[in-house]
């Protein structure tokens, strides 16, 4: 099974240059994470953009949707910033025949205490086992892409009532 991984930026890919610097979105962290997770299935990684999700536009979401639709894989993982991940998930609804899973991190992957590896591992499992649809995997939970929001105050994702 081949999983297509699209990277679009967000905290998971953030880096810093010195103690006085702001964080900036760097190159995708997924390659290092996958090597550390000892993945034994085939996958392909493509970086579509390197943006903080608060800076994402409708045009960016259109590009992500187009990339997903044009992928030959029916199993898609997207690493994404957490602030607007639900908006992108909703923009991907209606793509038939593909299991699309979005994940990210609340702390940069370069941090020792980051949740990045845990979230990516859960997202990879969901991408391989869930039926076609759009999902968000965060905090050890799998959410339907249209029934989730980020609770900024609690710094976690929560499901929405049906």
């Amino acid at each position: 099974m081949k999983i297509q991984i699209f990277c679009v930026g967000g905290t998971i890919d953030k880096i810093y240059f010195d103690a006085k610097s702001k964080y900036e979105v760097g190159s995708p962290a997924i390659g290092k994470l996958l090597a550390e997770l000892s993945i034994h299935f085939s996958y392909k990684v493509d970086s579509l953009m390197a943006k903080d999700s608060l800076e994402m536009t409708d045009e960016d979401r259109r590009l992500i949707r187009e990339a997903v639709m044009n992928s030959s894989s029916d199993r898609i993982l997207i690493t994404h910033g957490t602030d607007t991940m639900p908006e992108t998930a909703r923009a991907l609804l209606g793509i038939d025949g593909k299991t699309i899973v979005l994940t990210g991190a609340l702390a940069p992957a370069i941090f020792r205490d980051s949740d990045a590896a845990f979230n990516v591992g859960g997202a990879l499992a969901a991408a391989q086992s869930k039926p076609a649809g759009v999902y968000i995997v965060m905090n050890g939970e799998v959410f339907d892409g249209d029934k989730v929001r980020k609770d900024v105050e609690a710094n976690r994702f929560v499901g929405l009532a049906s």
Side-chain angles (χ1 to χ4, degrees), residues 28 36 47 72 83 126-127:
E36 290 172 357
S47 180
S72 61
D83 286 313

Side-chain angles (χ1 to χ4, degrees), residues 126-142:
Q128 294 176 83
S129 61
K130 295 294 284 181
V134 180
Y135 307 92
I136 287 179
V137 172
M138 291 290 297
N139 314 115
E141 294 185 70
V142 180

Side-chain angles (χ1 to χ4, degrees), residues 88-110:
T88 299
R90 286 190 290 275
L92 296 169
L93 293 172
I95 298 176
D96 293 328
K98 295 189 186 247
T99 301
I100 305 161
V101 181
L102 292 87
T103 196
L106 298 171
I110 61 168

Side-chain angles (χ1 to χ4, degrees), residues 82-87 89-90 136 138-139 143-161:
T82 60
D83 286 313
T84 65
M85 192 183 295
E87 287 85 342
R90 286 190 290 275
I136 287 179
M138 291 290 297
N139 314 115
F143 300 96
D144 288 336
D146 61 342
K147 296 181 178 118
V148 63
R149 70 175 178 84
K150 182 178 180 183
D151 181 337
V152 176
E153 290 180 15
N155 203 28
R156 65 184 310 263
F157 281 72
V158 295
L160 300 175

Side-chain angles (χ1 to χ4, degrees), residues 65-76:
R65 183 179 176 91
E66 187 176 293
V68 169
M69 289 175 34
N70 290 333
S71 174
S72 61
S73 180
D74 62 352
R75 304 287 172 170
I76 309 289

Side-chain angles (χ1 to χ4, degrees), residues 30-42:
I30 193 82
K32 185 174 188 259
L33 287 173
L34 293 175
E36 290 172 357
L37 292 172
S38 221
I39 300 300
H40 297 288
F41 53 80
S42 63

